[in-house]
């Protein structure tokens, strides 16, 4: 098997925007570099332009003039999708209902004029890789959702594409299956080592699958970074709130401390500011003794989630604070609790919007 | 009264109407067909008699040619209309489906206006090449009339089927390297197959039995409905026309049944 010898192309999206005929701007001009064999996730709410960007890379949409799409340095902007050698996995899977599983997987190879024996060998290789053994002759309507998703992936990978493009491939599945397939998909992408662009609105999916994440909002890129960068050092309030849970606290700063209704919390850096928008993740706040802690509040509600519990504390900050506590801690509504927040866990965000 | 007997009583009017206007006349037709001088052999005449056989063949060929031409024209037009939005589209669809409102006589009249002795085509051709082209009163005029008749029905069916087609199916095929023809062959036509078969069968049945248009154009066109009419009114040959009617009915029904069973299978295959 020579699957590991090809890792797809390095991609460059240069100055690509998309304005539709009626004047709506679906995507502001964006530039992105995608390294060979990197998995890049486009993350954002619906209507943020992530699918438009994917379709521009695929060749299903042409960018506004001036925009260019380069595969390994070669300008393919004017090439339609059928000339680009891209593998695509759709949300609906888009499997051909008039063909068997094997014929679906082998369709791209057939179009390329690959001799029958080679085609069969390649299809067998992919059937093994995607655990579809024994289902080769099934019709598509005889497959489960997870199996369909794997056939779609095998079909896209069969042609040894320059880039694998996945448009919300797990959205159509139920939650439990989605989580399992997310793991399988991750393993498969690592095994294939192929350049991939993955579109999703699910931040957990983005974190697990992405080498880098592009967070998008209203047709523009809000931040590009590794999952850790996006999570720990969000560039702005939107990214902080969209990726994971976040407490956003607006408060004045006095002598290096956030001044809150329930006490004071030291922050590191940027002493010069007089007011700040600060982000604190729920899991970084620790419960402490109410009498001695610098910050205190009243427990508003406790939501037990099994592996942990989310405690909502009021009166500590201007907004109720979400605190993730271990599942062994015993607190109840109305109780006074102290909170301790390490200075490193407080991320000051630029004031905007 | 039990629920079951209530249902049966409710079905009684339907049973009465069916018996009075469908079963009884059909039975009478069957009996009449066998009451001629030749007896039951009358039913074989449609195949044995050279003139009848030629007419039957003519009719089937005309209906088949009409079906194929309709499917080609209507599939292209239906796909185009479904996929493109342009000013005047709604008006165009309305015009294209307008013939649905016309009876066969009006269609025949329109064909005469187009290709008859005083028709538009004859007018233009006599001015251009000095030769008056007239084909309204022949089988070609009838072909054109049936085409006009069938296209709207098929276009509407194709448009409805094309609307349900998942656009990502075509995009998936293209991403795998399929050009326009390959997409049409491997994705669009297989998906439209049930609609094509169903609407093609209707077009075929219509062309087999349509009488008004043929009668308006000429009384001597060799198609089965015209033959039945002349046998009945001119020759007064009740038994033969009854037998021919049964033959026409059975033939058309067979083809519709065949088409339906095929559609059933392909619908199941398409999931």
């Amino acid at each position: 098997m020579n699957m590991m010898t090809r890792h797809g192309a390095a991609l460059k999206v240069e100055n690509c925007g998309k304005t539709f005929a009626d004047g709506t701007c679906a995507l502001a001009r964006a530039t992105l570099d995608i390294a060979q064999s990197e998995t890049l996730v486009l993350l954002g709410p619906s209507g943020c332009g992530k699918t438009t960007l994917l379709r521009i890379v695929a060749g299903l949409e042409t960018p506004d003039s001036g925009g260019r799409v380069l595969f390994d340095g070669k300008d393919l902007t004017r090439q339609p999708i059928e000339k680009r050698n891209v593998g695509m996995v759709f949300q609906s899977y888009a499997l051909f209902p008039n063909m068997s599983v094997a014929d679906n997987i082998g369709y791209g190879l057939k179009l390329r004029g690959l001799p029958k024996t080679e085609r069969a060998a390649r299809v067998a290789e992919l059937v093994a890789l995607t655990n579809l053994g024994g289902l080769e002759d099934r019709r598509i309507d005889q497959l489960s959702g997870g199996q369909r998703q794997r056939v779609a992936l095998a079909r896209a990978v069969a042609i040894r594409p320059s880039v694998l493009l996945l448009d919300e491939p797990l959205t159509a599945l139920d939650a439990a299956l989605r989580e399992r397939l997310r793991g399988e998909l991750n393993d498969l992408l690592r095994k294939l080592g192929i350049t991939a662009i993955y579109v999703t609105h699910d931040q957990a999916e983005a974190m697990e699958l992405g080498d880098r994440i592009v967070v998008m909002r209203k047709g523009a890129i809000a931040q590009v970074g590794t999952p850790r960068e996006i999570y720990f050092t969000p560039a702005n309030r939107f990214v902080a709130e969209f990726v994971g849970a976040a407490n956003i606290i607006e408060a004045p700063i006095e002598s290096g401390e956030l001044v809150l209704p329930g006490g004071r919390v030291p922050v590191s850096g940027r002493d010069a500011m007089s007011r700040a928008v600060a982000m604190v993740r729920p899991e970084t706040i620790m419960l402490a003794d109410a009498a001695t802690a610098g910050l205190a509040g009243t427990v508003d509600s406790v939501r037990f989630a099994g592996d942990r519990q989310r405690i909502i504390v009021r009166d500590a900050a201007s907004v109720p604070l979400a605190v993730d506590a271990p599942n062994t801690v015993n607190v109840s509504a109305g109780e006074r609790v102290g909170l301790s927040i390490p200075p490193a866990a407080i991320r000051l965000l630029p004031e905007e919007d | 009264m039990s629920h079951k007997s209530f249902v049966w009583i409710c079905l009684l009017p339907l049973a009465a109407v069916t018996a009075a206007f469908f079963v009884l006349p059909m039975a009478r037709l069957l009996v009449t067909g066998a009451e001629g001088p030749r007896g039951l052999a009358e039913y074989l005449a449609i195949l044995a008699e050279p003139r009848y056989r030629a007419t039957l063949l003519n009719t089937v060929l005309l209906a088949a040619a009409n079906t194929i031409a309709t499917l080609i024209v209507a599939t292209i037009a239906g796909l185009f209309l479904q996929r493109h939005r342009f000013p005047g589209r709604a008006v165009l669809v309305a015009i294209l489906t307008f013939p649905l409102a016309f009876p066969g006589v009006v269609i025949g009249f329109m064909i005469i206006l187009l290709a008859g002795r005083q028709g538009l085509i004859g007018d233009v051709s006599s001015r251009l090449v000095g030769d008056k082209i007239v084909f309204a009163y022949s089988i070609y005029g009838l072909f054109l009339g049936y085409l006009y008749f069938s296209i709207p029905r098929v276009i509407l069916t194709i448009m409805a089927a094309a609307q349900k087609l998942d656009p990502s199916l075509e995009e998936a095929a293209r991403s795998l390297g399929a050009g326009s023809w390959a997409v049409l062959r491997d994705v669009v036509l297989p998906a439209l197959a049930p609609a094509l078969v169903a609407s093609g069968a209707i077009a075929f049945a219509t062309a087999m039995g349509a009488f008004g248009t043929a009668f308006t154009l000429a009384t001597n066109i060799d198609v089965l409905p015209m033959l039945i009419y002349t046998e009945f009114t001119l020759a007064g040959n009740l038994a033969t026309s009854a037998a021919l009617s049964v033959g026409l009915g059975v033939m058309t029904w067979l083809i519709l049944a065949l088409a339906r069973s095929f559609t059933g299978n392909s619908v199941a295959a398409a999931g």
Side-chain angles (χ1 to χ4, degrees):
Chain A
M1 282 196 217
N2 50 2
M3 222 167 266
M4 297 303 291
T5 59
R6 264 193 73 163
H7 305 280
L11 262 60
K12 190 172 175 64
V13 174
E14 207 178 79
N15 212 14
C16 281
K18 183 74 192 174
T19 312
F20 286 112
D22 60 356
T24 49
C25 178
L27 181 67
R29 289 191 180 275
T31 297
L32 275 176
D33 273 298
I34 302 148
Q36 189 180 47
S37 88
E38 179 185 28
T39 301
L40 187 80
V41 175
L42 306 180
L43 173 69
S46 63
C48 72
K50 57 192 193 295
T51 298
T52 306
L53 184 53
L54 185 83
R55 290 172 69 86
I56 287 174
V57 174
L60 289 167
E61 304 276 4
T62 44
D64 294 342
S65 70
R68 296 204 304 162
V69 176
L70 300 114
F71 282 37
D72 276 336
K74 225 168 72 195
D75 187 348
L76 294 184
T77 316
R78 299 286 145 219
Q79 297 288 332
I81 182 169
E82 56 265 34
K83 302 263 174 64
R84 288 195 186 187
N85 196 41
V86 294
M88 245 185 131
V89 178
F90 295 84
Q91 188 177 340
S92 65
Y93 310 138
L95 297 174
F96 308 127
N98 49 318
M99 298 181 200
S100 68
V101 167
D103 288 345
N104 262 283
I105 298 174
Y107 183 67
L109 305 171
K110 193 170 147 196
L111 289 172
R112 279 161 177 70
L114 212 68
K116 219 169 181 173
T117 46
E118 274 180 58
R119 208 160 78 209
R122 175 83 179 135
V123 169
E125 190 182 304
L126 283 156
V127 163
L129 186 76
T130 49
N131 281 326
L132 287 165
L135 302 174
E136 293 92 334
D137 297 325
R138 288 275 184 92
R139 281 205 322 256
I140 299 308
D141 58 355
Q142 296 169 318
L143 300 180
S144 70
Q147 289 166 341
R148 286 179 203 209
Q149 198 259 336
R150 296 209 294 272
V151 176
L153 195 67
R155 182 181 67 178
V157 170
I159 58 172
R160 300 183 201 280
S162 302
V163 57
L164 187 60
L165 306 172
L166 305 109
D167 188 4
E168 309 227 9
L170 300 177
T171 305
L173 304 167
D174 61 73
L177 188 60
R178 193 158 61 221
E179 195 144 329
R180 207 190 77 214
L181 286 180
R182 193 163 76 207
E184 280 182 24
L185 195 58
N186 196 18
D187 292 345
L188 202 61
L189 286 177
R190 308 287 150 217
K191 218 186 302 180
L192 291 168
I194 191 176
T195 314
I197 302 180
Y198 189 105
V199 164
T200 184
H201 64 265
D202 181 331
Q203 44 101 8
E205 238 170 85
M207 298 273 188
E208 184 168 341
L209 293 171
D211 291 321
R212 277 191 306 154
I213 298 173
V214 178
V215 185
M216 297 182 70
R217 179 202 191 186
K218 290 182 185 164
I221 293 177
Q223 188 176 5
V224 183
T226 64
R228 279 163 210 280
E229 284 167 1
I230 299 278
Y231 190 78
F232 292 121
T233 57
N236 52 48
R237 187 173 179 155
F238 170 76
V239 175
E241 287 182 309
F242 192 75
V243 178
N247 294 299
I248 306 288
I249 307 163
E250 283 178 61
I253 293 187
E254 267 172 35
S255 54
E257 286 182 325
L258 276 176
V259 181
L260 300 172
R264 286 173 166 246
V265 179
V267 289
S268 54
R270 286 201 263 181
D271 293 321
M273 295 171 86
S274 61
R275 251 195 106 67
V277 180
M279 178 209 72
V280 184
R281 298 282 183 200
E283 71 273 16
T284 59
I285 307 178
M286 282 165 295
L287 293 181
D289 183 5
T292 55
L295 183 65
T298 309
V299 174
D300 191 67
S301 63
V302 179
R303 275 180 261 153
F304 186 68
D307 57 343
R308 63 193 157 81
Q309 49 192 339
R310 163 115 356 140
I311 299 164
I312 307 296
V313 179
R314 68 181 136 89
D315 303 333
S318 50
V319 289
L321 287 181
V323 177
D324 279 357
N327 51 11
T328 48
V329 173
N330 205 357
V331 288
S332 51
E335 214 172 298
R336 281 292 284 179
V337 287
L339 301 172
S340 109
I341 308 174
I346 300 173
R347 164 90 180 153
L348 298 178
L349 302 171
E351 259 186 288
E352 37 142 23
D353 302 334
Chain B
M1 191 172 10
S2 79
H3 177 69
K4 211 165 186 181
S5 52
F6 176 73
V7 170
W8 282 115
I9 287 170
C10 286
L11 282 173
L12 262 180
L14 176 70
V17 171
T18 311
F21 298 107
F22 186 69
V23 179
L24 292 180
M26 280 285 276
R28 183 79 190 123
L29 195 67
L30 277 170
V31 173
T32 310
E35 273 175 345
R38 273 182 287 195
L40 271 175
E42 198 68 60
Y43 282 109
L44 291 177
I46 192 170
L47 295 173
E49 185 94 18
R51 189 164 74 91
Y52 297 166
R53 197 171 54 216
T55 305
L56 176 69
L57 195 67
N58 239 345
T59 313
V60 171
L61 282 180
L62 177 67
N66 169 64
T67 306
I68 291 166
T70 303
L71 286 180
I72 292 173
V73 174
T75 305
I76 296 169
L79 280 176
F80 179 83
L81 286 172
Q82 187 51 50
R83 287 170 184 209
H84 295 83
R85 294 286 178 272
F86 49 88
R89 176 181 172 276
V91 179
L92 187 63
V93 172
I95 292 174
L96 277 170
T97 51
F98 201 53
L100 284 174
F102 287 142
V105 183
V106 179
I107 304 277
F109 188 52
M110 285 166 78
I111 296 297
I112 291 174
L113 288 179
L114 179 74
R117 273 180 283 278
Q118 272 85 45
L120 189 69
I121 291 179
D123 234 33
V124 171
S125 69
S126 73
R127 267 179 220 176
L128 285 181
V129 291
D131 199 8
K132 198 167 202 169
I133 297 174
V134 173
F135 60 85
Y137 316 105
S138 68
I139 199 128
Y140 301 107
L142 195 57
F143 174 76
L144 205 63
Y146 286 168
L147 205 59
Y148 193 60
F149 219 37
S150 317
I151 284 176
R153 291 155 218 269
V154 180
I155 281 188
L156 289 180
T157 317
I158 298 291
M159 280 176 70
Q163 192 173 20
K164 280 188 271 174
L165 205 65
D166 178 4
S168 59
L169 271 179
E170 286 177 55
E171 291 174 353
R174 289 180 60 200
S175 76
L176 294 166
S180 309
W181 283 112
V183 170
L184 190 68
R185 180 192 66 213
D186 297 329
V187 177
V188 178
L189 288 182
L192 292 183
L196 288 172
V197 171
S199 59
I202 300 287
F204 184 85
T206 312
M208 281 290 282
F211 174 71
T213 315
F215 191 70
T216 313
L217 291 179
T219 42
N220 60 349
I221 294 179
D222 262 350
V223 289
L224 216 44
M226 288 301 294
L227 182 67
I228 295 170
Y229 175 78
T230 47
E231 283 294 328
F232 178 58
T233 57
L234 304 180
N237 203 340
L238 205 62
T240 308
S241 49
L244 287 174
S245 301
V246 173
L248 176 68
V250 168
M251 203 71 167
T252 311
W253 177 82
L254 260 178
I255 289 176
L256 284 181
L258 212 70
R260 201 165 303 140
S261 72
F262 179 72
T263 321
N265 289 340
S266 57
V267 166

